[in-house]
Amino acid sequence: MKLAERTFHAQDQQRFAEVSGDWNPMHMDALLARRTQAGAPVVHGIHLLLWALESLAASQPELPPVRGIRAQFHKFIFVDEPAEVTLIQQTARGVRLTIGVDGVFRSKVSVEFGEATAGTPDWAAGPLESIPFQQVAMDLSLEQIEGRSGRLEFPENPAEEAATIFPSACRWLGAGSIVALAASTRLVGMVCPGLHSIYSEIAVNSAADSILEDGLAFRVTETDRRFRSVEQEIAGGGLVGTVRGFARNPPVAQATMASLAEVVSADEFAGSVALIVGGSRGLGELTAKLLAAGGATVILTWQRGKVDAERVAQEIQSAGGACHAMHYDAGAAAAPQLAALSYAPTHAYYFATPSIFRPQAEIFRKQRLDEFLAIYVHGFWELARALRQLNPKIALYYPSSVSVAERPEGMTEYTMAKAAGEVLCADINTSMAPMRVIVTRLPRLETDQTATVTATESASPIETVLPILRAMHGRE
């Protein structure tokens, strides 16, 4: 039975961050979130849990007392994505809920009814480091996380804030428990693991005695370096239990100009002018650096990542390379945007991409295909036509993917769009000479969107990209 449905927007994120203290960029900053595995801002898992508990309590005002709560956050729910809470099972012993999108669950919640039985753990009653509110997440290594402990102070008047947002849940569970649950996302997202974190699970029991009514105590009990997993015990606000999460690897850093000077000769690409669409990070950033290290003049573009683009351009310039950054929207008409170029590119590389990985209920959604086609087909066609007017002999690079042949699960629309892009490139080569397009199917490379918590086998970006550049510039 569906209990409620809701779409979380940026203003909802803001309010919950103010109450919980979790300002992690994965939830709050669209530019920084794109450099995480999510690729876009996601709703706090604990916000979803509290919403589910609120929805249940609002629909059934006479619920029994709660002995325990467990929530597992399996997949992200994105900001501006319609979510729903569904009651799966209810007995005298408890309830099971799911939180999902389009009828497919992404989180599970179980509530056990009964009297409180847990007691205050000895470690929580001892002296612990007090950690105040702050809006900048800690950036800790696994070594710094191991054995960490402390106490998060609750904000002023937390019960009043909680009752305003989750009134029914507060009447049912008590405001202290709601505040403690909210504080647990601050623990994971801001303190431990902190900046590069993923919250995966919480399991808590109600305490029979008074437990830290003004704060949340925590201690790390287990870390696994193979999986970068972190388990912590928590106590506070009338709850005691555990939270589990992961310490994500930081965003992928591309090679420096100094290191690339060792693999590219200084005049290897001299005399060429290269336009890099999507050059602010990832393979676009690496391509820009390699070409500049080889003597090319580079124009790299950004759509949203202006700061990243300017950082890359500055690094190239500081190393003696010629580079500048400009705004370019691959979803808009190309010719007006290229009109400001002071010289015609001889080469162009197309690394524009939307967010690739999004969980969905069915194997195919037209909306997702349209999003990919708009960039991978129509956007590339717009660019090719506009550049041909500036230089009929221009060489373009189109990055396809091995997924066209391998057909990985969950990437139907992406694969279809890349295959359509290959067809377009083949027809451009047939009909629009002397313009030429080089297409390669790139293997899995370590980028922000493909990065995982654990180490996975991936090809070397430099060893993959450099032969493409040499083929584009007639060096191979």
Side-chain angles (χ1 to χ4, degrees):
M1 179 178 69
K2 184 186 296 186
L3 297 178
E5 53 187 350
R6 176 182 177 185
T7 300
F8 293 82
H9 301 295
Q11 59 267 33
D12 302 312
Q13 297 286 94
Q14 178 74 21
R15 187 179 188 191
F16 186 72
E18 291 171 353
V19 172
S20 67
D22 185 359
W23 297 88
N24 192 289
M26 176 180 277
H27 305 295
M28 306 302 298
D29 190 316
L31 288 178
L32 294 180
R34 73 190 185 122
R35 300 213 66 184
T36 68
Q37 291 162 283
V42 297
V43 183
H44 301 76
I46 291 296
H47 196 178
L48 294 168
L49 168 62
L50 293 176
W51 171 54
L53 296 173
E54 172 68 17
S55 301
L56 178 63
S59 68
Q60 301 185 40
E62 302 301 325
L63 287 166
V66 169
R67 176 177 296 161
I69 299 171
R70 182 183 183 190
Q72 297 169 293
F73 311 116
H74 293 274
K75 294 182 179 180
F76 300 124
I77 289 181
F78 293 85
V79 175
D80 298 326
E81 191 173 33
E84 56 195 27
V85 178
T86 303
L87 176 61
I88 300 299
Q89 183 183 56
Q90 182 166 0
T91 68
R93 300 179 60 182
V95 298
R96 292 194 299 119
L97 308 168
T98 61
I99 307 166
V101 176
D102 293 334
V104 176
F105 87 90
R106 299 192 188 174
S107 296
K108 293 181 178 179
V109 179
S110 60
V111 179
E112 181 186 5
F113 298 146
E115 297 301 321
T117 57
T120 304
D122 293 338
W123 66 267
L128 295 168
E129 175 191 2
S130 178
I131 301 176
F133 260 77
Q134 59 186 35
Q135 288 195 13
V136 179
M138 295 182 179
D139 187 358
L140 305 178
S141 65
L142 275 177
E143 291 75 15
Q144 293 172 311
I145 290 170
E146 291 174 347
R148 186 172 173 78
S149 62
R151 171 191 168 102
L152 306 184
E153 303 298 329
F154 290 158
E156 294 184 10
N157 304 317
E160 295 179 14
E161 292 289 343
T164 300
I165 304 177
F166 309 107
S168 299
C170 283
R171 286 192 294 271
W172 176 31
L173 302 172
S177 295
I178 302 301
V179 171
L181 289 171
S184 74
T185 191
R186 174 185 162 211
L187 167 63
V188 174
M190 301 295 289
V191 178
C192 186
L195 180 60
H196 306 298
S197 62
I198 295 178
Y199 199 151
S200 63
E201 183 178 347
I202 181 170
V204 291
N205 292 318
S206 299
D209 54 3
S210 176
I211 293 181
L212 298 175
E213 296 179 351
D214 58 351
L216 185 75
F218 72 92
R219 67 170 182 172
V220 175
T221 55
E222 183 178 342
T223 60
D224 189 325
R225 297 196 180 194
R226 296 170 302 167
F227 304 106
R228 300 185 63 85
S229 60
V230 179
E231 181 174 310
Q232 305 178 70
E233 290 184 358
I234 60 170
L239 299 177
V240 59
T242 60
V243 297
R244 295 180 177 87
F246 297 93
R248 295 181 288 109
N249 286 298
V252 176
Q254 298 301 331
T256 64
M257 287 295 291
S259 65
L260 294 178
E262 300 176 3
V263 298
V264 179
S265 60
D267 62 349
E268 191 166 346
F269 307 117
S272 59
V273 178
L275 176 69
I276 318 293
V277 176
S280 64
R281 62 189 179 114
L283 298 183
E285 174 185 348
L286 178 61
T287 297
K289 289 179 176 179
L290 282 167
L291 290 172
T297 296
V298 173
I299 307 161
L300 61 88
T301 79
W302 54 273
Q303 181 185 6
R304 291 181 297 168
K306 180 179 180 180
V307 173
D308 285 335
E310 291 178 342
R311 170 188 55 79
V312 176
Q314 180 59 49
E315 182 181 350
I316 290 173
Q317 293 165 6
S318 297
C323 177
H324 76 268
M326 62 174 279
H327 179 263
Y328 183 85
D329 183 354
Q337 299 184 80
L338 301 181
L341 292 177
S342 56
Y343 28 73
T346 59
H347 300 77
Y349 296 81
Y350 193 73
F351 292 106
T353 185
S355 177
I356 296 174
F357 303 103
R358 287 287 182 96
Q360 60 191 47
E362 300 177 316
I363 63 171
F364 174 78
R365 289 186 64 189
K366 181 180 181 299
Q367 181 181 354
R368 282 293 282 160
L369 178 61
D370 289 343
E371 291 173 3
F372 287 127
L373 291 174
I375 302 301
Y376 296 149
V377 179
H378 186 262
F380 183 73
W381 171 241
E382 273 285 309
L383 180 69
R385 286 199 305 170
L387 288 175
R388 189 169 186 263
Q389 294 299 313
L390 299 177
N391 179 6
K393 296 182 179 181
I394 191 168
L396 285 76
Y397 175 66
Y398 183 89
S400 189
S401 169
V402 293
S403 67
V404 174
E406 297 176 357
R407 307 277 292 281
E409 183 180 356
M411 299 182 68
T412 299
E413 300 92 344
Y414 170 81
T415 301
M416 292 171 69
K418 283 294 188 180
E422 289 187 12
V423 172
L424 173 62
C425 292
D427 287 352
I428 289 174
N429 282 331
T430 299
S431 305
M432 298 177 67
M435 170 188 281
R436 64 187 176 97
V437 183
I438 288 181
V439 180
T440 63
R441 292 179 177 175
L442 295 176
R444 182 187 180 97
L445 299 170
E446 190 178 17
T447 66
D448 294 330
Q449 292 206 58
T450 62
T452 57
V453 172
T454 57
T456 57
E457 185 175 348
S458 58
S460 162
I462 295 175
E463 292 178 3
T464 301
V465 171
L466 190 53
I468 295 170
L469 306 189
R470 287 171 172 158
M472 279 280 288
H473 290 255
R475 304 298 182 182
E476 283 191 353

